[in-house]
Amino acid sequence: MAGCRGSLCCCCRWCCCCGERETRTPEELTILGETQEEEDEILPRKDYEKGRRYEAVKWMVVFAIGVCTGLVGLFVDFFVRLFTQLKFGVVQTSVEECSQKGCLALSLLELLGFNLTFVFLASLLVLIEPVAAGSGIPEVKCYLNGVKVPGIVRLRTLLCKVLGVLFSVAGGLFVGKEGPMIHSGSVVGAGLPQFQSISLRKIQFNFPYFRSDRDKRDFVSAGAAAGVAAAFGAPIGGTLFSLEEGSSFWNQGLTWKVLFCSMSATFTLNFFRSGIQFGSWGSFQLPGLLNFGEFKCSDSDKKCHLWTAMDLGFFVVMGVIGGLLGATFNCLNKRLAKYRMRNVHPKPKLVRVLESLLVSLVTTVVVFVASMVLGECRQMSSSSQIGNDSFQLQVTEDVNSSIKTFFCPNDTYNDMATLFFNPQESAILQLFHQDGTFSPVTLALFFVLYFLLACWTYGISVPSGLFVPSLLCGAAFGRLVANVLKSYIGLGHIYSGTFALIGAAAFLGGVVRMTISLTVILIESTNEITYGLPIMVTLMVAKWTGDFFNKGIYDIHVGLRGVPLLEWETEVEMDKLRANDIMEPNLTYVYPHTRIQSLVSILRTTVHHAFPVVTENRGNEKEFMKGNQLISNNIKFKKSSILTRAGEQRKRSQSMKSYPSSELRNMCDEHIASEEPAEKEDLLQQMLERRYTPYPNLYPDQSPSEDWTMEERFRPLTFHGLILRSQLVTLLVRGVCYSESQSSASQPRLSYAEMAEDYPRYPDIHDLDLTLLNPRMIVDVTPYMNPSPFTVSPNTHVSQVFNLFRTMGLRHLPVVNAVGEIVGIITRHNLTYEFLQARLRQHYQTI
């Protein structure tokens, strides 16, 4: 039986009966130095079964993402092969007939007809969903970095991307299908766990899991990794790609799930491709869309080695040249992208289609003329003995069957036509594994033409990848180096396929500037671990060389779009700045209890995605509380918050002979009457009123105005939490409010499931019907705000702010001083490289 204190109150374990005097809360009793007997409290038991079920569902969803991504890759590969075989079959037959009859112009028209039709269809699909243009890797990189790009992970984007890349690759453009696979996997990862679609609103199930941005980003990471794994047959490389190029937040559990997803995608694609092409289901012989084949010296050549220690010097030089070529490629493409942004994109959308058709026309004519005129007839090599492995035999058959003999006698082939009149994957295999020689002049001309046309093509309004064109361009460069070393320097031990592979790695590394993930992707694609060291050295040198001139191609396009992408870390000199140097001091905030008219005004006049919840520090609070329920509720909330913090501090400092909280100390003694309290209740009230600071008062039903004076704009504001725009709009849409004549307890309460029901497409404030709302009603936002977000002190170093912001995946970081007052807020924009550089220059000017 508990005792009765200060009132006619009798309490027992099951009931409590009190007189007229109101009992104090535990916080108030603590601040006044009183104690209360604590009864045994049973801690809430965690629902472990629910946690296990959630984890099991997550693993099943990750597996489903991998399988679906593999099936998307299978669909793309099947139809690209179908369209390409149809086109080249018709054109090759026509060329062979017309080479004798003298009607090659007709063959060129047939090729133009196929290519222009396919490219036109690809451009139309991009008009339907503009986000489907390009490879999608810059957009996915932004999304995983924490920036929401509109429409990037929608079902309509996936359909346009997949169908568009079919037509753009089949249309003969110098683009690849491997890059868009990463985007496609990301869309699958974002959409599949939601079990609903915005594009097809009938697709909707009541699936209660994964209704947060954090879960969605994790699944997008898994989907992106699965896309890389399906494209290259490299599940480990896909996992590292998602880690290196994408996610700003990572944990050990996510690594294991992403790897499992990548494995699922790889073996799903491998299973179906092996069954369809070889007829032996379950043999797993084709791991990815792009297969490099097995690098193996001929058994008859005893002097041949894949590579030697002496070759590392050549690889370093090739890395430097690859970095220079990549920097040149990126510089030219950046200039083209700026030109398109100024002169093409502002014009009607039909102009973009015409540009794509122009690129297709020029590419087709160049390919046809170069194959017919610039090629040389080279002697075919005798087929060397290769192992009994069915996959390697298939690679050898592909290499031999893709040889083109246009205008060449028996036992010879046209080297230029062999490279141009084949799918790009077949041309890469030719350069990697063709024992016959390619003329150095042919390789040089092919490299220059392919370099220029690929640079022009990347950025037009079609779905396009850059991995395969870069690999093919670099392979030609590497094969050219091998020919020069063999023919003119006399290094007979050189294996041409190795130099072609290193050239491909050097050029691709110089363009995209990836290191760890690209090294593992190439090792897994070659299935040759001995290539690990030369590939890694080459990529490192290419990246260092290219970084001396400009950024990678994806970072360049991210910068052109003005996306505030965060790097991995800040520069050392940025630590001269503090949080108060980069924060935004002009705050738009809401009160714990705010009128609907004020909320609507704030939401319609700003674009912020989160708002601090604050209360003002004012004097004579008793006078303001009289006759105004709204202000009274806000002041009571502030008092309860201060009491809670004070009680916590008193428990930690029982031995101190001072007030338990610095917030309750006398900060403005000249405004406090020096009179002794007669009762403890008066003491409590005076302790609370000692936080008074003489600033102008603002009623909570007034929204922030641009007409405020400097004093009004920077008044002291006690910080209580953050609330999101989506939460405020949801509260307004669902009519969660109470009238001034009622208690805030009468306001309806929404559960978490109800608040997240519209995720990820929340209602827009401009679509709200204001006639259904009473502007004088009050909304209590305290049950829905985040009362304990991450905060930093104004004196925190920028490097600490940056690390906290990036590693925790934050979007808003309030800056709160030592007495709990918010003085500013930091968003992603305040941490971009350009913004920090500008503030650093201002800092140097003020010194």
Side-chain angles (χ1 to χ4, degrees):
M1 187 74 70
C4 302
R5 289 190 176 88
S7 64
L8 298 176
C9 182
C10 181
C11 299
C12 63
R13 186 176 298 273
W14 303 277
C15 62
C16 182
C17 303
C18 299
E20 296 180 356
R21 185 173 179 181
E22 182 181 359
T23 58
R24 297 195 183 280
T25 64
E27 291 82 1
E28 294 178 42
L29 293 172
T30 304
I31 187 103
L32 293 174
E34 300 181 1
T35 59
Q36 184 182 34
E37 292 184 12
E38 297 182 0
E39 299 181 1
D40 295 336
E41 186 177 301
I42 300 177
L43 296 176
R45 182 179 179 181
K46 185 177 180 180
D47 190 354
Y48 292 103
E49 286 298 326
K50 186 177 180 180
R52 291 195 192 98
R53 185 165 60 249
Y54 179 87
E55 191 69 13
V57 171
K58 201 166 189 177
W59 278 99
M60 288 188 289
V61 169
V62 164
F63 174 75
I65 292 172
V67 172
C68 292
T69 303
L71 294 177
V72 170
L74 177 70
F75 176 83
V76 172
D77 178 71
F78 178 81
F79 282 98
V80 165
R81 284 178 176 270
L82 179 64
F83 293 153
T84 304
Q85 290 174 0
L86 173 65
K87 180 184 72 173
F88 282 124
V90 172
V91 174
Q92 183 171 347
T93 303
S94 175
V95 169
E96 292 174 352
E97 294 178 354
C98 290
S99 60
Q100 300 175 356
K101 299 179 181 180
C103 57
L104 288 176
L106 180 61
S107 301
L108 176 59
L109 291 177
E110 290 179 352
L111 184 60
L112 282 172
F114 277 109
N115 288 348
L116 292 177
T117 301
F118 288 145
V119 172
F120 178 72
L121 293 175
S123 299
L124 288 183
L125 289 168
V126 171
L127 291 184
I128 297 174
E129 185 55 72
V131 184
S135 66
I137 295 179
E139 290 83 358
V140 173
K141 188 174 180 178
C142 294
Y143 188 92
L144 294 178
N145 196 259
V147 180
K148 286 188 175 181
V149 181
I152 185 67
V153 290
R154 293 180 61 180
L155 177 61
R156 187 169 65 181
T157 304
L158 174 64
L159 296 176
C160 293
K161 194 82 173 185
V162 170
L163 296 176
V165 77
L166 292 180
F167 295 123
S168 59
V169 174
L173 294 175
F174 292 165
V175 298
K177 58 181 180 290
E178 284 72 19
M181 274 300 302
I182 300 173
H183 188 186
S184 301
S186 301
V187 180
V188 173
L192 190 63
Q194 304 300 318
F195 284 90
Q196 63 180 1
S197 171
I198 297 173
S199 302
L200 301 176
R201 298 187 181 276
K202 292 184 179 180
I203 302 179
Q204 189 167 1
F205 300 91
N206 185 17
F207 190 66
Y209 300 102
F210 318 127
R211 315 297 291 177
S212 68
D213 287 339
R214 176 64 56 83
D215 287 331
K216 193 172 184 178
R217 281 200 303 272
D218 289 350
F219 287 126
V220 171
S221 300
V228 176
F232 298 97
I236 301 176
T239 304
L240 292 176
F241 172 85
S242 185
L243 173 61
E244 179 184 6
E245 290 297 313
S247 300
S248 58
F249 178 80
W250 200 267
N251 57 59
Q252 184 178 5
L254 181 61
T255 304
W256 189 231
K257 292 183 179 68
V258 169
L259 180 60
F260 178 65
C261 183
S262 301
M263 287 288 185
S264 304
T266 300
F267 285 96
T268 298
L269 181 63
N270 198 342
F271 175 80
F272 285 102
R273 286 193 71 205
S274 301
I276 293 173
Q277 293 192 28
F278 293 128
S280 57
W281 295 90
S283 58
F284 297 105
Q285 299 177 16
L286 295 173
L289 297 179
L290 179 62
N291 302 302
F292 290 166
E294 182 181 357
F295 290 79
K296 186 176 181 181
C297 289
S298 173
D299 293 338
S300 60
D301 189 357
K302 301 301 182 181
K303 296 182 179 180
C304 175
H305 300 282
L306 291 182
W307 67 279
T308 62
M310 186 178 67
D311 295 335
L312 280 176
F314 296 117
F315 297 158
V316 171
V317 175
M318 292 176 66
V320 173
I321 298 175
L324 293 174
L325 292 173
T328 305
F329 184 96
N330 293 354
C331 180
L332 294 176
N333 190 262
K334 181 178 180 180
R335 292 179 179 272
L336 282 172
K338 288 183 176 180
Y339 176 82
R340 289 189 177 106
M341 293 173 66
R342 290 192 305 263
N343 302 293
V344 177
H345 294 173
K347 295 181 180 180
K349 294 183 178 180
L350 183 61
V351 176
R352 304 185 189 184
V353 178
L354 294 177
E355 184 198 17
S356 302
L357 294 177
L358 176 63
V359 173
S360 177
L361 175 65
V362 174
T363 302
T364 304
V365 172
V366 169
V367 166
F368 191 88
V369 172
S371 300
M372 301 304 149
V373 177
L374 301 179
E376 295 185 15
C377 295
R378 311 294 293 183
Q379 187 70 33
M380 290 186 184
S381 64
S382 57
S383 58
S384 58
Q385 180 183 358
I386 300 180
N388 296 324
D389 180 59
S390 59
F391 170 62
Q392 186 59 31
L393 290 176
Q394 178 68 25
V395 171
T396 306
E397 292 175 3
D398 291 342
V399 171
N400 294 332
S401 63
S402 59
I403 289 177
K404 304 301 178 185
T405 59
F406 296 160
F407 308 107
C408 290
N410 294 334
D411 296 331
T412 60
Y413 66 96
N414 187 325
D415 56 357
M416 185 70 79
T418 300
L419 296 177
F420 269 136
F421 256 79
N422 273 311
Q424 296 173 98
E425 291 82 1
S426 298
I428 291 175
L429 290 178
Q430 287 286 341
L431 294 170
F432 284 173
H433 302 291
Q434 177 58 259
D435 291 334
T437 59
F438 289 89
S439 167
V441 177
T442 299
L443 290 172
L445 289 173
F446 175 81
F447 174 80
V448 172
L449 293 175
Y450 206 96
F451 180 94
L452 296 176
L453 289 174
C455 184
W456 187 21
T457 303
Y458 188 74
I460 63 175
S461 295
V462 296
S464 58
L466 195 59
F467 274 92
V468 170
S470 299
L471 287 172
L472 180 52
C473 199
F477 157 67
R479 190 73 183 241
L480 175 62
V481 173
N483 283 9
V484 171
L485 293 177
K486 271 187 174 183
S487 303
Y488 298 99
I489 300 181
L491 299 179
H493 73 280
I494 285 178
Y495 181 61
S496 300
T498 298
F499 276 76
L501 175 65
I502 296 302
F507 186 78
L508 181 58
V511 171
V512 301
R513 313 286 165 81
M514 293 160 50
T515 52
I516 303 174
S517 57
L518 189 55
T519 301
V520 177
I521 288 171
L522 293 177
I523 292 174
E524 289 185 281
S525 299
T526 58
N527 199 24
E528 184 62 61
I529 190 62
T530 58
Y531 279 139
L533 179 61
I535 289 176
M536 182 181 67
V537 170
T538 304
L539 288 175
M540 288 172 58
V541 173
K543 175 179 170 56
W544 291 340
T545 304
D547 285 343
F548 186 77
F549 298 96
N550 50 34
K551 294 183 178 180
I553 188 68
Y554 300 134
D555 292 327
I556 287 175
H557 281 264
V558 168
L560 290 175
R561 296 174 189 180
V563 178
L565 195 70
L566 298 185
E567 303 294 337
W568 279 102
E569 57 186 9
T570 60
E571 297 180 357
V572 177
E573 61 180 358
M574 293 301 173
D575 263 348
K576 296 177 181 177
L577 299 176
R578 303 298 176 99
N580 57 2
D581 295 322
I582 66 171
M583 69 182 185
E584 175 56 52
N586 296 321
L587 299 174
T588 302
Y589 49 83
V590 298
Y591 297 92
H593 300 263
T594 310
R595 295 197 191 278
I596 286 181
Q597 65 180 16
S598 179
L599 290 180
V600 172
S601 174
I602 291 173
L603 293 172
R604 288 200 166 189
T605 55
T606 64
V607 293
H608 306 308
H609 288 274
F611 303 92
V613 180
V614 303
T615 52
E616 296 179 17
N617 302 321
R618 56 160 58 106
N620 302 322
E621 290 180 337
K622 281 186 176 181
E623 298 297 328
F624 281 97
M625 293 174 65
K626 295 178 180 179
N628 193 316
Q629 182 66 28
L630 176 59
I631 298 179
S632 176
N633 288 341
N634 282 314
I635 293 176
K636 288 179 179 178
F637 179 81
K638 185 185 75 169
K639 289 182 178 181
S640 64
S641 299
I642 294 176
L643 286 170
T644 302
R645 290 197 298 270
E648 292 172 352
Q649 286 195 10
R650 183 179 182 87
K651 291 178 181 179
R652 293 193 299 266
S653 56
Q654 291 291 335
S655 60
M656 295 180 63
K657 301 301 181 181
S658 61
Y659 292 130
S661 173
S662 60
E663 291 187 79
L664 301 180
R665 294 179 180 176
N666 185 2
M667 300 186 66
C668 298
D669 288 332
E670 64 274 14
H671 299 285
I672 302 297
S674 55
E675 56 182 22
E676 293 294 328
E679 299 180 2
K680 289 185 177 181
E681 184 175 0
D682 297 329
L683 171 63
L684 172 63
Q685 185 60 38
Q686 288 208 10
M687 292 169 68
L688 292 174
E689 288 182 351
R690 289 183 179 181
R691 286 286 292 123
Y692 161 64
T693 308
Y695 277 82
N697 299 308
L698 177 71
Y699 284 90
D701 54 357
Q702 297 175 352
S703 58
S705 170
E706 296 293 334
D707 298 330
W708 283 358
T709 63
M710 188 64 66
E711 189 180 41
E712 291 173 327
R713 187 175 298 279
F714 297 101
R715 65 173 48 81
L717 301 169
T718 300
F719 179 70
H720 299 290
L722 277 179
I723 190 163
L724 302 178
R725 167 182 288 268
S726 58
Q727 294 174 311
L728 291 176
V729 176
T730 301
L731 294 176
L732 293 176
V733 169
R734 295 180 177 269
V736 178
C737 56
Y738 67 96
S739 65
E740 194 165 358
S741 60
Q742 297 175 322
S743 168
S744 60
S746 63
Q747 175 177 281
R749 291 290 188 263
L750 297 182
S751 64
Y752 174 79
E754 291 173 320
M755 290 291 292
E757 185 176 340
D758 296 321
Y759 180 85
R761 182 64 64 88
Y762 289 103
D764 188 81
I765 186 62
H766 297 283
D767 299 332
L768 190 63
D769 187 2
L770 297 181
T771 60
L772 302 178
L773 299 174
N774 182 354
R776 301 299 297 174
M777 297 288 280
I778 303 172
V779 178
D780 180 9
V781 303
T782 55
Y784 310 101
M785 70 180 184
N786 179 6
S788 55
F790 288 97
T791 61
V792 292
S793 165
N795 293 321
T796 307
H797 287 285
V798 163
S799 60
Q800 295 175 284
V801 174
F802 188 92
N803 292 334
L804 176 64
F805 200 96
R806 196 183 196 285
T807 55
M808 299 310 300
L810 305 180
R811 297 183 185 276
H812 311 88
L813 186 60
V815 182
V816 181
N817 62 20
V819 293
E821 295 170 349
I822 183 169
V823 295
I825 195 166
I826 296 174
T827 62
R828 177 175 293 269
H829 169 74
N830 302 108
L831 294 173
T832 57
Y833 177 79
E834 294 77 10
F835 186 88
L836 292 179
Q837 285 288 346
R839 289 303 171 94
L840 188 62
R841 287 193 294 268
Q842 293 180 7
H843 175 76
Y844 285 140
Q845 292 173 1
T846 56
I847 295 178

